[in-house]
Amino acid sequence: MSLSKVPDKANEILELAWANYHAGDFENVLSQLEGLAPTGTYQKLKGLAHFQLGQYQAAQTSLHAFAKQTDAPLDWFSLSTTAAMAGQAALALEAFGHCKGKYPGSDAEKTLSLPLLHWYFLKAMVTAGFSSQLEPVLEFLVESFELAKITDSHYLSSRGLPDWEGFLEVLWPTLDALPPDNANAILTRLREAVDTPGRSSLNKRPSAN
């Protein structure tokens, strides 16, 4: 008899699989999931295990199925960053769009601020080698810095903003992918938005490769 037809046994296996996931035994997690019905919990756990093993394409497939079931903002966000790691820029952008559309007023805002949401997505995309099509994401972050009226670029996390040095690491490759006029306009806005130490660091732009 299929385990999917024995709910109590299936739930017991899922609980054990979660325990193994938290213990870092990701291969065993995937083995334990074999034969179970593809419920939401199954898809999430399978996707997370594949992600931890660096199997991003498989992780993307499961997390995509999970996001479709829950339609929750942070589940679409997890898919967006995983898709980026899997080399699927189009799906990453699409999933991030779903996430943003459902974010305002949701409980997700209590977990992750909207600026940090944009920051983590930008970082994931740049880390994966995708620097184009990110101008709207960068624009949102610039506006967030402007609205925060930053007086100390070393204490941004308490305001729900990315740390300054980390932001600079992904700022330059993103700017390099933009038309020069657009990139210069963004730099000008940032120089006006941040404090003196932050403004000084914006004058140290590395040369594009």
Side-chain angles (χ1 to χ4, degrees):
M1 179 180 291
S2 169
L3 287 173
S4 63
K5 297 179 181 179
V6 189
D8 290 343
K9 184 64 176 179
N11 289 335
E12 181 182 324
I13 293 173
L14 283 172
E15 289 179 6
L16 180 59
W18 273 117
N20 281 318
Y21 176 82
H22 291 300
D25 191 357
F26 307 120
E27 293 280 5
N28 200 19
V29 169
L30 295 175
S31 296
Q32 290 172 319
L33 292 177
E34 292 180 4
L36 295 185
T39 62
T41 301
Y42 165 96
Q43 297 288 14
K44 180 179 182 179
L45 184 51
K46 186 177 181 181
L48 292 175
H50 278 303
F51 186 90
Q52 293 295 337
L53 291 168
Q55 299 165 352
Y56 301 120
Q57 186 64 53
Q60 170 201 292
T61 300
S62 291
L63 292 178
H64 198 175
F66 179 63
K68 285 180 177 178
Q69 289 185 36
T70 66
D71 205 27
L74 289 181
D75 295 331
W76 283 111
F77 177 67
S78 294
L79 173 62
S80 72
T81 54
T82 303
M85 298 297 289
Q88 302 294 323
L91 177 58
L93 289 163
E94 178 187 345
F96 187 69
H98 277 295
C99 172
K100 278 187 61 179
K102 298 178 179 299
Y103 219 74
S106 70
D107 289 339
E109 287 189 298
K110 301 174 184 177
T111 304
L112 188 66
S113 72
L114 203 50
L116 281 180
L117 185 86
H118 283 71
W119 156 240
Y120 289 132
F121 180 68
L122 181 68
K123 185 176 182 180
M125 290 290 279
V126 172
T127 300
F130 302 114
S131 298
S132 60
Q133 302 182 64
L134 295 176
E135 187 170 3
V137 181
L138 182 57
E139 284 276 0
F140 185 93
L141 284 170
V142 172
E143 184 178 347
S144 298
F145 284 128
E146 291 172 332
L147 292 174
K149 302 185 184 303
I150 297 166
T151 56
D152 192 331
S153 57
H154 298 291
Y155 296 95
L156 301 176
S157 59
S158 62
R159 304 175 187 218
L161 293 167
D163 71 276
W164 186 248
E165 292 303 319
F167 174 69
L168 289 178
E169 290 179 7
V170 297
L171 172 67
W172 305 124
T174 308
L175 289 178
D176 288 340
L178 298 179
D181 287 348
N182 298 36
N184 289 332
I186 286 175
L187 270 177
T188 297
R189 290 174 60 189
L190 280 171
R191 289 188 180 108
E192 293 174 351
V194 300
D195 60 358
T196 301
R199 193 176 306 124
S200 175
S201 63
L202 290 169
N203 294 325
K204 303 173 183 177
R205 182 178 181 180
S207 300
N209 294 329

